[in-house]
Amino acid sequence: QVRLVESGGGLVRPGGSLRLSCTASGSFTQANVMAWYRQAPGRQRELVASISRVGSTTYADSVKSRFTISLTNSGKTVHLQMNNLESEDTADYYCNAYGIWYTDRYANDDYWGQGTRVTVSE
């Protein structure tokens, strides 16, 4: 089992910045991919950014040049630095870990955190 705990959400004004963090715990070595998704009210959950265990990153077009995803050396904490926030960034942000290297095996397991809310408003 892998447990993901997000932090760092909150209320920020347009143009402001926030840094989200997600720490994974459990009996595993690392995940193949860790990612941030978001879900705005009335909308489907969407991928914001992902990072592989070797550091390859992908971003949604809407956040390129504003958001940066990073992974600590342990591979168990992922950050999302969000700059120049816009009202359209308001959503619940979820951490995801996919493809888990457990201590004794690999499995295409998929884990989610509980989410942290980001509100961008005056």
Side-chain angles (χ1 to χ4, degrees):
Q1 281 285 349
V2 175
R3 182 171 180 246
L4 302 175
V5 178
E6 301 103 331
S7 62
L11 173 64
V12 64
R13 290 183 175 179
S17 297
L18 281 175
R19 187 185 194 220
L20 305 184
S21 297
C22 169
T23 298
S25 61
S27 299
F28 77 107
T29 303
Q30 59 185 168
N32 264 354
V33 178
M34 294 192 75
W36 287 96
Y37 286 74
R38 67 185 180 188
Q39 187 166 19
R43 300 187 67 175
Q44 290 188 331
R45 189 173 295 190
E46 63 174 354
L47 176 66
V48 176
S50 68
I51 186 165
S52 74
R53 62 189 180 100
V54 296
S56 298
T57 59
T58 62
Y59 295 93
D61 286 343
S62 60
V63 307
K64 280 180 182 177
S65 79
R66 299 189 298 122
F67 291 10
T68 302
I69 190 170
S70 60
L71 189 64
T72 60
N73 288 339
S74 70
K76 294 189 176 183
T77 298
V78 61
H79 300 292
L80 185 68
Q81 178 65 42
M82 305 186 295
N83 297 328
N84 194 21
L85 283 159
E86 304 168 352
S87 58
E88 292 78 13
D89 297 316
T90 294
D92 291 323
Y93 284 70
Y94 297 89
C95 180
N96 172 261
Y98 175 76
I100 307 299
W101 294 90
Y102 297 99
T103 54
D104 59 347
R105 62 186 172 90
Y106 172 81
N108 285 326
D109 292 342
D110 196 20
Y111 292 94
W112 294 88
Q114 292 299 307
T116 185
R117 179 156 294 178
V118 172
T119 303
V120 185
S121 176
E122 296 284 2

